[in-house]
Amino acid sequence: MPNGVPEAAPPPFDPSRPFPAQRYRLRFRLGVLYRPRAFIGPALRGAFGHTLREALCLTGAPTCDGCLALARCRWPRVFETSVLASLPDRHQGEAGWAIAPLLPVGRRMQPGEVFDVELALFGQSRADLTLLARRLIAAVSRLPEPALAGAAFEGLFLGDALLSPDPRTIPAGHGQEFPPPPPAPHSSRYLLEWLSPLRMTRDGADLPIAAWRPQDLVHSLCRRIRQVLAEHCGQEREVRLPWPDLSPLGKLRLDVSAMRETIVPAGRNADGRPRRLRAHLGVLGLEGPTELLAALWPLLWIGQHLQIGKNPRAGFGRYRLVAA
């Protein structure tokens, strides 16, 4: 309250307006048989970072430590914003992207089958579509999975529409925002089909699936929406979401019977040993009063575009929402 004048309340979040983000699909066609061994999200993110560094690094130095060009370089801004922590506040990261490989889990894919990699862009990063799409294509060619590395690029899609067979020739007006969500269906059960591994945490620790609560899911979703709006979409202040108090969500119930556990590689520990995380895939049921689910519908609808959840840039947290 500067000078005795109370600050205005944060503006309410209006999910009926277009959301300042967009999601694209890059389609690839397999050349040989693919036998899935693990979720490749972390490996794809790592390869993506290497290809971006080749395109954006100003010096070619092996690391960013002590680099005199760090304040002018776009690579840490776009990929690893934590590198900028040692710089003055005016040097903030851009980031504003998330990737998710959409591959069937546990099913062999035959030569000639296609798979997609989703690229979500938030705020100002949408202007970098050409650069990021080209680097993502290069990243797929460098994956440690030989079958995927040999896949041929088929085209860049917006929804089901082909934007371009060549990311160097993307037409103008390709769609800059998510449209507003459709009206909420009258249903007492929603299904969230998880297309990439889901983890839930509380106080920094992973939760066993039997301890998952609807409040954890909605809290993660609200935090993700706030993060995107505050960090990447020019919001000067935190927006006000419908549930600062999550107690009404105690009326909801999660059905986890159709979820199955999977192991996700996540880099290496400090001692160099491979780090593996337990996560879940499948269909998560959300059940409760129809009016409460209807109030959640816009947030859930937006959330399926934003990859909510732990480590979203590594490909966690992508789901598809339907009403049962």
Side-chain angles (χ1 to χ4, degrees):
M1 188 166 52
N3 301 323
V5 180
E7 293 184 0
F13 174 67
D14 184 0
S16 67
R17 299 179 61 185
F19 195 85
Q22 191 51 269
R23 191 180 76 243
Y24 306 90
R25 289 191 178 204
L26 289 83
R27 182 156 295 167
F28 299 85
R29 187 173 299 274
L30 286 174
V32 297
L33 177 69
Y34 170 59
R35 294 182 175 89
R37 290 191 291 271
F39 180 66
I40 65 162
L44 179 59
R45 183 184 185 273
F48 188 45
H50 285 300
T51 63
L52 274 174
R53 202 172 199 282
E54 291 173 358
L56 297 176
C57 177
L58 298 176
T59 67
T63 70
C64 297
D65 296 339
C67 180
L68 299 178
L70 190 59
R72 296 182 289 116
C73 183
R74 282 200 66 206
W75 182 79
R77 297 174 186 276
V78 173
F79 186 77
E80 201 67 82
T81 57
S82 60
V83 173
L84 303 173
S86 61
L87 299 179
D89 291 342
R90 64 179 180 275
H91 297 294
Q92 298 296 322
E94 300 168 8
W97 56 268
I99 53 179
L102 304 184
L103 287 156
V105 177
R107 180 179 72 80
R108 295 192 306 175
M109 296 179 67
Q110 302 298 322
E113 283 195 66
V114 299
F115 68 91
D116 292 341
V117 175
E118 290 201 343
L119 174 64
L121 301 180
F122 317 129
Q124 63 185 14
S125 69
R126 289 170 290 167
D128 291 330
L129 174 61
T130 297
L131 166 69
L132 298 178
R134 292 178 67 181
R135 295 292 91 193
L136 190 51
I137 294 168
V140 171
S141 72
R142 299 185 182 187
L143 285 171
E145 294 279 357
L148 298 180
F153 177 66
E154 291 274 300
L156 176 69
F157 290 77
L158 176 60
D160 295 327
L162 176 66
L163 275 181
S164 174
D166 184 343
R168 293 172 298 182
T169 58
I170 299 172
H174 52 75
Q176 289 290 301
E177 296 180 321
F178 295 146
H186 184 77
S187 175
S188 60
R189 179 176 170 84
Y190 292 167
L191 300 178
L192 287 76
E193 179 187 1
W194 290 90
L195 305 175
S196 52
L198 171 66
R199 296 164 59 208
M200 284 199 192
T201 64
R202 192 179 302 145
D203 299 327
D206 277 10
L207 292 174
I209 195 167
W212 289 6
R213 303 178 308 178
Q215 292 93 324
D216 298 312
L217 184 68
V218 175
H219 177 70
S220 181
L221 170 58
C222 291
R223 183 173 54 195
R224 181 68 169 148
I225 290 175
R226 285 194 182 105
Q227 176 197 23
V228 169
L229 291 175
E231 295 183 8
H232 310 305
C233 299
Q235 296 280 354
E236 295 182 358
R237 294 175 299 163
E238 184 176 282
V239 297
R240 178 158 43 94
L241 292 176
W243 277 285
D245 174 17
L246 299 181
S247 57
L249 301 177
K251 300 177 182 178
L252 298 178
R253 186 174 72 86
L254 287 180
D255 178 7
V256 299
S257 60
M259 299 289 283
R260 61 187 184 278
E261 188 176 272
T262 186
I263 301 298
V264 181
R268 295 183 177 273
N269 294 316
D271 58 6
R273 291 184 300 173
R275 183 169 178 247
R276 300 184 183 278
L277 304 175
R278 296 184 181 275
H280 289 80
L281 284 163
V283 179
L284 186 68
L286 187 60
E287 304 172 351
T290 55
E291 66 276 6
L292 184 54
L293 286 179
L296 272 175
W297 173 264
L299 300 180
L300 291 169
W301 186 266
I302 292 171
Q304 68 184 335
H305 300 298
L306 301 185
Q307 295 182 244
I308 70 162
K310 185 72 174 175
N311 295 334
R313 288 192 199 149
F316 293 75
R318 175 77 175 92
Y319 65 86
R320 182 185 296 121
L321 173 67
V322 296

